Amino acid sequence: MGRTYLVEESIGQYLTELSTKVKPYVTGLLIGQCSPQRDYVIRAVRTPPKEQQQEESLGPPKLASLDEEWITTHASQVSRMLPGGLLVLGVFMIATPELAKDGQNALRKLIFSVEKSLSKRRLWKPAEEEVSDRAALQICSATKKVVCRTYDVQDPKSSAKPADWKYQSALTASWVALGCTVNVNIHIPLLATSPNHDLEKNTKNGLNRWSKQIEDSVFLINGQVKDEDTELLEGQKKFRGNTQPGTQFSDVKVLTQLCQGASPRSTATVQVCSGSINLRGAVKCRAYIHSNKPKVKEAIQALKRDIINTLSDRCEILFEDLILNEGPQKKNVGREYHVLPQRLFVPVAGSSVMLSDYKFGEEAAGEIQERFVEMLDQPVQAEDMHIAEDISTVDICPVTDSPSDTQQTQLTKATLLLKLQQNMGLVVAAAVAVLASIFSFNYFSD
């Protein structure tokens, strides 16, 4: 038995409209949520067209012209706009009958490329029991025939497996939303041995350590600690029929442990640092989970990943912005103070799930609207964009008295002097001991 994909009904209409415009093919991403029983597809997003493609379309149609890097970059950008619980579930292709034969091979290659690109950015590791199948959806533009297959992205030699593709209306109507605010105060030392301008790498290393702290945190759902294997909706009323009760919201508190690790003993490492990076602020996090008997651990896992992703993504966006505006070769000459982009949430028509994006203070609403159209093929209204939080900051502090060569020489001399004094002390002590023994010998001789 292959996997079953429950698909939001509006996606069928979206794909049909795309198939009427295809020349000779179009690719895109499938966005949704995995669960042990079945997977849910809540959006399909076409790959943004490139200007060069208009010129290439004059030649004979061929899938060899697929721009793999462009598609994987699009997937990375889209993944930043997804709240916890949602991910890129797979890729789709609508192609003419002439290209159908090579369609599955192209889709397979894209699936593994997209997963490789996304996994590089993650600061968390997938659980062993996690679903690793990704969908490859192929549609013939002439006959409208739909073929859905899956590939296991954890197995490079994975072969295609058949999958069911079923449309369903109001798919996310009764999904559960979880939200929390996490206060961030992260101190990341900059090692003297690392290049001054390698802030991004140092920040990522620091966030890696912080992410493990989040993984070990305790989560209170509506003020209660719940067993991970119990049902999230246990004890709540179930909605029946075609009624749309709206998203159920759960408030979550995150309790971070002061000390990490099970062992009470720890070791300290002393390292020479050239400065530090300080991340401070309060970040808003949100996750969505399906309503088909979800487990508490599924909900907590989705929220944990959103907490980790949102801070990591903001830092990535900030460094990308700095490189664009200041250049990659800029060295730190003094203290730097930056503001992280703020998170905003946007409702999506026909769905109870909200998508997100990040906004710098000077960015106009029109720029964000353009980004939603380009990345998600989704027009949004300016009044629907809700900034969820206050400003979070990055403070980059160099050490004012960095250990220069002269200071290092002085330090070395001081160390040698100290050792010399210690050695002289040993010599004096030895001399005293010798004199004492001679005196004692003469005394007894007399």
Side-chain angles (χ1 to χ4, degrees), residues 13 30 36 56 89-90 106 113-114 166 168 184 189 204 212 255 274 286 294 309 318 360 385 402 407:
Q13 183 180 353
L30 300 172
E56 291 172 0
L89 275 182
S113 296
V114 166
K166 298 180 179 179
Q168 182 176 315
V184 174
K204 189 167 185 178
K212 292 177 176 62
L255 306 180
S274 60
R286 185 171 293 188
N309 288 344
L318 174 63
F360 284 106
M385 297 186 295
S402 58
Q407 290 171 321

PDB file of all heavy atoms in Angstrom, residues 13 30 36 56 89-90 106 113-114 166 168 184 189 204 212 255 274 286 294 309 318 360 385 402 407:
ATOM      1  N   GLN A  13      -8.294  23.008  -8.891  1.00  0.00           N
ATOM      2  CA  GLN A  13      -8.623  24.101  -9.800  1.00  0.00           C
ATOM      3  C   GLN A  13      -7.370  24.874 -10.195  1.00  0.00           C
ATOM      4  O   GLN A  13      -7.194  25.263 -11.355  1.00  0.00           O
ATOM      5  CB  GLN A  13      -9.635  25.029  -9.140  1.00  0.00           C
ATOM      6  CG  GLN A  13     -10.101  26.173 -10.040  1.00  0.00           C
ATOM      7  CD  GLN A  13     -11.107  27.076  -9.339  1.00  0.00           C
ATOM      8  OE1 GLN A  13     -11.558  26.787  -8.235  1.00  0.00           O
ATOM      9  NE2 GLN A  13     -11.450  28.181  -9.984  1.00  0.00           N
ATOM     10  N   LEU A  30       4.760  21.332  -3.681  1.00  0.00           N
ATOM     11  CA  LEU A  30       3.588  20.905  -2.928  1.00  0.00           C
ATOM     12  C   LEU A  30       3.873  21.162  -1.447  1.00  0.00           C
ATOM     13  O   LEU A  30       4.890  20.715  -0.919  1.00  0.00           O
ATOM     14  CB  LEU A  30       3.298  19.424  -3.157  1.00  0.00           C
ATOM     15  CG  LEU A  30       3.025  19.014  -4.608  1.00  0.00           C
ATOM     16  CD1 LEU A  30       2.940  17.498  -4.731  1.00  0.00           C
ATOM     17  CD2 LEU A  30       1.739  19.666  -5.132  1.00  0.00           C
ATOM     18  N   PRO A  36       1.667  10.017  10.406  1.00  0.00           N
ATOM     19  CA  PRO A  36       1.886   8.572  10.246  1.00  0.00           C
ATOM     20  C   PRO A  36       0.830   7.903   9.373  1.00  0.00           C
ATOM     21  O   PRO A  36       1.139   6.981   8.614  1.00  0.00           O
ATOM     22  CB  PRO A  36       1.813   8.050  11.689  1.00  0.00           C
ATOM     23  CG  PRO A  36       2.187   9.220  12.542  1.00  0.00           C
ATOM     24  CD  PRO A  36       1.637  10.416  11.830  1.00  0.00           C
ATOM     25  N   GLU A  56      14.420  30.764 -24.096  1.00  0.00           N
ATOM     26  CA  GLU A  56      14.634  29.327 -24.262  1.00  0.00           C
ATOM     27  C   GLU A  56      13.403  28.648 -24.847  1.00  0.00           C
ATOM     28  O   GLU A  56      13.497  27.632 -25.512  1.00  0.00           O
ATOM     29  CB  GLU A  56      14.981  28.693 -22.914  1.00  0.00           C
ATOM     30  CG  GLU A  56      16.351  29.108 -22.409  1.00  0.00           C
ATOM     31  CD  GLU A  56      16.594  28.627 -20.992  1.00  0.00           C
ATOM     32  OE1 GLU A  56      15.687  27.969 -20.430  1.00  0.00           O
ATOM     33  OE2 GLU A  56      17.672  28.898 -20.451  1.00  0.00           O
ATOM     34  N   LEU A  89       6.346  19.215   0.740  1.00  0.00           N
ATOM     35  CA  LEU A  89       6.037  17.774   0.686  1.00  0.00           C
ATOM     36  C   LEU A  89       6.486  17.102  -0.602  1.00  0.00           C
ATOM     37  O   LEU A  89       6.542  15.871  -0.672  1.00  0.00           O
ATOM     38  CB  LEU A  89       4.523  17.562   0.803  1.00  0.00           C
ATOM     39  CG  LEU A  89       3.904  17.493   2.197  1.00  0.00           C
ATOM     40  CD1 LEU A  89       2.414  17.222   2.062  1.00  0.00           C
ATOM     41  CD2 LEU A  89       4.549  16.397   3.012  1.00  0.00           C
ATOM     42  N   GLY A  90       6.754  17.894  -1.614  1.00  0.00           N
ATOM     43  CA  GLY A  90       7.126  17.296  -2.888  1.00  0.00           C
ATOM     44  C   GLY A  90       7.099  18.325  -3.993  1.00  0.00           C
ATOM     45  O   GLY A  90       7.030  19.539  -3.754  1.00  0.00           O
ATOM     46  N   ALA A 106      12.816  13.369 -14.194  1.00  0.00           N
ATOM     47  CA  ALA A 106      13.096  14.760 -13.837  1.00  0.00           C
ATOM     48  C   ALA A 106      12.561  15.073 -12.442  1.00  0.00           C
ATOM     49  O   ALA A 106      13.223  15.746 -11.642  1.00  0.00           O
ATOM     50  CB  ALA A 106      12.478  15.700 -14.873  1.00  0.00           C
ATOM     51  N   SER A 113      17.097  16.866  -4.900  1.00  0.00           N
ATOM     52  CA  SER A 113      17.827  18.137  -4.869  1.00  0.00           C
ATOM     53  C   SER A 113      17.186  19.102  -3.880  1.00  0.00           C
ATOM     54  O   SER A 113      17.884  19.781  -3.111  1.00  0.00           O
ATOM     55  CB  SER A 113      17.854  18.769  -6.266  1.00  0.00           C
ATOM     56  OG  SER A 113      18.568  17.972  -7.165  1.00  0.00           O
ATOM     57  N   VAL A 114      15.854  19.174  -3.893  1.00  0.00           N
ATOM     58  CA  VAL A 114      15.135  20.061  -2.984  1.00  0.00           C
ATOM     59  C   VAL A 114      15.362  19.636  -1.541  1.00  0.00           C
ATOM     60  O   VAL A 114      15.647  20.459  -0.662  1.00  0.00           O
ATOM     61  CB  VAL A 114      13.625  20.076  -3.319  1.00  0.00           C
ATOM     62  CG1 VAL A 114      12.821  20.711  -2.188  1.00  0.00           C
ATOM     63  CG2 VAL A 114      13.378  20.829  -4.620  1.00  0.00           C
ATOM     64  N   LYS A 166      -6.188  12.341  -3.382  1.00  0.00           N
ATOM     65  CA  LYS A 166      -7.626  12.533  -3.162  1.00  0.00           C
ATOM     66  C   LYS A 166      -7.947  13.955  -2.741  1.00  0.00           C
ATOM     67  O   LYS A 166      -7.357  14.471  -1.782  1.00  0.00           O
ATOM     68  CB  LYS A 166      -8.119  11.565  -2.078  1.00  0.00           C
ATOM     69  CG  LYS A 166      -7.957  10.093  -2.429  1.00  0.00           C
ATOM     70  CD  LYS A 166      -8.474   9.206  -1.310  1.00  0.00           C
ATOM     71  CE  LYS A 166      -8.336   7.734  -1.659  1.00  0.00           C
ATOM     72  NZ  LYS A 166      -8.830   6.857  -0.559  1.00  0.00           N
ATOM     73  N   GLN A 168     -10.249  16.974  -1.170  1.00  0.00           N
ATOM     74  CA  GLN A 168     -11.194  17.100  -0.054  1.00  0.00           C
ATOM     75  C   GLN A 168     -11.418  18.581   0.231  1.00  0.00           C
ATOM     76  O   GLN A 168     -10.476  19.369   0.243  1.00  0.00           O
ATOM     77  CB  GLN A 168     -10.634  16.401   1.194  1.00  0.00           C
ATOM     78  CG  GLN A 168     -11.572  16.441   2.399  1.00  0.00           C
ATOM     79  CD  GLN A 168     -11.012  15.652   3.564  1.00  0.00           C
ATOM     80  OE1 GLN A 168     -10.515  14.532   3.386  1.00  0.00           O
ATOM     81  NE2 GLN A 168     -11.077  16.224   4.755  1.00  0.00           N
ATOM     82  N   VAL A 184      14.364  35.542  23.891  1.00  0.00           N
ATOM     83  CA  VAL A 184      15.686  35.123  23.423  1.00  0.00           C
ATOM     84  C   VAL A 184      16.740  36.052  23.992  1.00  0.00           C
ATOM     85  O   VAL A 184      16.620  37.281  23.923  1.00  0.00           O
ATOM     86  CB  VAL A 184      15.744  35.143  21.879  1.00  0.00           C
ATOM     87  CG1 VAL A 184      17.142  34.844  21.389  1.00  0.00           C
ATOM     88  CG2 VAL A 184      14.748  34.149  21.301  1.00  0.00           C
ATOM     89  N   PRO A 189      30.104  33.695  21.710  1.00  0.00           N
ATOM     90  CA  PRO A 189      31.477  34.219  21.645  1.00  0.00           C
ATOM     91  C   PRO A 189      32.068  34.065  20.256  1.00  0.00           C
ATOM     92  O   PRO A 189      31.785  33.100  19.543  1.00  0.00           O
ATOM     93  CB  PRO A 189      32.224  33.346  22.663  1.00  0.00           C
ATOM     94  CG  PRO A 189      31.441  32.078  22.727  1.00  0.00           C
ATOM     95  CD  PRO A 189      30.006  32.442  22.478  1.00  0.00           C
ATOM     96  N   LYS A 204      25.668  30.631  13.431  1.00  0.00           N
ATOM     97  CA  LYS A 204      25.030  29.327  13.231  1.00  0.00           C
ATOM     98  C   LYS A 204      25.498  28.323  14.277  1.00  0.00           C
ATOM     99  O   LYS A 204      24.698  27.528  14.786  1.00  0.00           O
ATOM    100  CB  LYS A 204      25.327  28.805  11.820  1.00  0.00           C
ATOM    101  CG  LYS A 204      24.512  27.559  11.464  1.00  0.00           C
ATOM    102  CD  LYS A 204      24.578  27.243   9.986  1.00  0.00           C
ATOM    103  CE  LYS A 204      23.644  26.074   9.660  1.00  0.00           C
ATOM    104  NZ  LYS A 204      23.641  25.765   8.214  1.00  0.00           N
ATOM    105  N   LYS A 212      19.568  22.961  20.831  1.00  0.00           N
ATOM    106  CA  LYS A 212      19.536  21.780  21.703  1.00  0.00           C
ATOM    107  C   LYS A 212      18.862  22.126  23.026  1.00  0.00           C
ATOM    108  O   LYS A 212      18.182  21.280  23.628  1.00  0.00           O
ATOM    109  CB  LYS A 212      20.961  21.272  21.936  1.00  0.00           C
ATOM    110  CG  LYS A 212      21.614  20.686  20.680  1.00  0.00           C
ATOM    111  CD  LYS A 212      23.036  20.256  20.937  1.00  0.00           C
ATOM    112  CE  LYS A 212      23.637  19.587  19.693  1.00  0.00           C
ATOM    113  NZ  LYS A 212      23.700  20.476  18.536  1.00  0.00           N
ATOM    114  N   LEU A 255       9.327  26.322  28.896  1.00  0.00           N
ATOM    115  CA  LEU A 255      10.185  26.406  30.076  1.00  0.00           C
ATOM    116  C   LEU A 255      11.552  25.846  29.716  1.00  0.00           C
ATOM    117  O   LEU A 255      11.705  24.647  29.464  1.00  0.00           O
ATOM    118  CB  LEU A 255       9.574  25.610  31.240  1.00  0.00           C
ATOM    119  CG  LEU A 255       8.114  25.964  31.611  1.00  0.00           C
ATOM    120  CD1 LEU A 255       7.648  25.103  32.767  1.00  0.00           C
ATOM    121  CD2 LEU A 255       7.993  27.444  31.957  1.00  0.00           C
ATOM    122  N   SER A 274      37.574  37.171  20.338  1.00  0.00           N
ATOM    123  CA  SER A 274      37.802  38.503  19.777  1.00  0.00           C
ATOM    124  C   SER A 274      36.567  39.380  19.896  1.00  0.00           C
ATOM    125  O   SER A 274      36.561  40.517  19.450  1.00  0.00           O
ATOM    126  CB  SER A 274      38.203  38.383  18.303  1.00  0.00           C
ATOM    127  OG  SER A 274      37.159  37.747  17.579  1.00  0.00           O
ATOM    128  N   ARG A 286       4.501  29.906  15.813  1.00  0.00           N
ATOM    129  CA  ARG A 286       3.188  29.305  15.583  1.00  0.00           C
ATOM    130  C   ARG A 286       3.353  27.998  14.827  1.00  0.00           C
ATOM    131  O   ARG A 286       4.236  27.866  13.974  1.00  0.00           O
ATOM    132  CB  ARG A 286       2.301  30.269  14.785  1.00  0.00           C
ATOM    133  CG  ARG A 286       0.879  29.764  14.596  1.00  0.00           C
ATOM    134  CD  ARG A 286      -0.002  30.845  13.991  1.00  0.00           C
ATOM    135  NE  ARG A 286      -0.187  31.965  14.909  1.00  0.00           N
ATOM    136  CZ  ARG A 286      -1.040  32.964  14.680  1.00  0.00           C
ATOM    137  NH1 ARG A 286      -1.754  32.978  13.576  1.00  0.00           N
ATOM    138  NH2 ARG A 286      -1.159  33.941  15.555  1.00  0.00           N
ATOM    139  N   PRO A 294      -4.315  13.786  16.441  1.00  0.00           N
ATOM    140  CA  PRO A 294      -2.876  14.093  16.547  1.00  0.00           C
ATOM    141  C   PRO A 294      -2.360  13.819  17.951  1.00  0.00           C
ATOM    142  O   PRO A 294      -3.080  13.993  18.943  1.00  0.00           O
ATOM    143  CB  PRO A 294      -2.819  15.585  16.225  1.00  0.00           C
ATOM    144  CG  PRO A 294      -4.148  16.108  16.668  1.00  0.00           C
ATOM    145  CD  PRO A 294      -5.130  15.009  16.382  1.00  0.00           C
ATOM    146  N   ASN A 309      13.520  27.354  13.647  1.00  0.00           N
ATOM    147  CA  ASN A 309      13.576  27.860  12.270  1.00  0.00           C
ATOM    148  C   ASN A 309      13.463  29.369  12.202  1.00  0.00           C
ATOM    149  O   ASN A 309      14.180  30.021  11.436  1.00  0.00           O
ATOM    150  CB  ASN A 309      12.463  27.231  11.423  1.00  0.00           C
ATOM    151  CG  ASN A 309      12.704  25.770  11.110  1.00  0.00           C
ATOM    152  OD1 ASN A 309      13.813  25.268  11.266  1.00  0.00           O
ATOM    153  ND2 ASN A 309      11.669  25.070  10.688  1.00  0.00           N
ATOM    154  N   LEU A 318      19.148  38.465   7.629  1.00  0.00           N
ATOM    155  CA  LEU A 318      19.947  39.634   8.008  1.00  0.00           C
ATOM    156  C   LEU A 318      21.315  39.599   7.343  1.00  0.00           C
ATOM    157  O   LEU A 318      21.761  40.608   6.766  1.00  0.00           O
ATOM    158  CB  LEU A 318      20.104  39.685   9.529  1.00  0.00           C
ATOM    159  CG  LEU A 318      21.045  40.772  10.058  1.00  0.00           C
ATOM    160  CD1 LEU A 318      20.518  42.159   9.723  1.00  0.00           C
ATOM    161  CD2 LEU A 318      21.268  40.627  11.560  1.00  0.00           C
ATOM    162  N   PHE A 360      11.798  43.919   7.264  1.00  0.00           N
ATOM    163  CA  PHE A 360      12.678  44.914   7.850  1.00  0.00           C
ATOM    164  C   PHE A 360      11.879  46.197   8.054  1.00  0.00           C
ATOM    165  O   PHE A 360      10.891  46.454   7.347  1.00  0.00           O
ATOM    166  CB  PHE A 360      13.883  45.180   6.952  1.00  0.00           C
ATOM    167  CG  PHE A 360      14.930  44.105   7.005  1.00  0.00           C
ATOM    168  CD1 PHE A 360      15.089  43.204   5.957  1.00  0.00           C
ATOM    169  CD2 PHE A 360      15.754  43.981   8.116  1.00  0.00           C
ATOM    170  CE1 PHE A 360      16.050  42.211   6.011  1.00  0.00           C
ATOM    171  CE2 PHE A 360      16.725  42.986   8.181  1.00  0.00           C
ATOM    172  CZ  PHE A 360      16.872  42.096   7.129  1.00  0.00           C
ATOM    173  N   MET A 385      -1.921  41.849   6.615  1.00  0.00           N
ATOM    174  CA  MET A 385      -0.588  41.522   7.115  1.00  0.00           C
ATOM    175  C   MET A 385      -0.456  41.997   8.559  1.00  0.00           C
ATOM    176  O   MET A 385      -0.564  43.194   8.837  1.00  0.00           O
ATOM    177  CB  MET A 385       0.491  42.163   6.234  1.00  0.00           C
ATOM    178  CG  MET A 385       0.479  41.640   4.806  1.00  0.00           C
ATOM    179  SD  MET A 385       1.836  42.241   3.780  1.00  0.00           S
ATOM    180  CE  MET A 385       1.481  43.993   3.712  1.00  0.00           C
ATOM    181  N   SER A 402      41.850  43.880  22.179  1.00  0.00           N
ATOM    182  CA  SER A 402      42.110  42.567  21.596  1.00  0.00           C
ATOM    183  C   SER A 402      43.583  42.227  21.750  1.00  0.00           C
ATOM    184  O   SER A 402      44.445  43.107  21.703  1.00  0.00           O
ATOM    185  CB  SER A 402      41.731  42.560  20.116  1.00  0.00           C
ATOM    186  OG  SER A 402      42.457  43.555  19.452  1.00  0.00           O
ATOM    187  N   GLN A 407      50.899  42.674  22.800  1.00  0.00           N
ATOM    188  CA  GLN A 407      50.336  42.186  24.048  1.00  0.00           C
ATOM    189  C   GLN A 407      50.627  40.707  24.231  1.00  0.00           C
ATOM    190  O   GLN A 407      50.874  40.235  25.335  1.00  0.00           O
ATOM    191  CB  GLN A 407      48.825  42.432  24.063  1.00  0.00           C
ATOM    192  CG  GLN A 407      48.474  43.919  24.174  1.00  0.00           C
ATOM    193  CD  GLN A 407      46.993  44.154  23.966  1.00  0.00           C
ATOM    194  OE1 GLN A 407      46.386  43.513  23.125  1.00  0.00           O
ATOM    195  NE2 GLN A 407      46.428  45.063  24.738  1.00  0.00           N
TER     196      GLN A 407
END
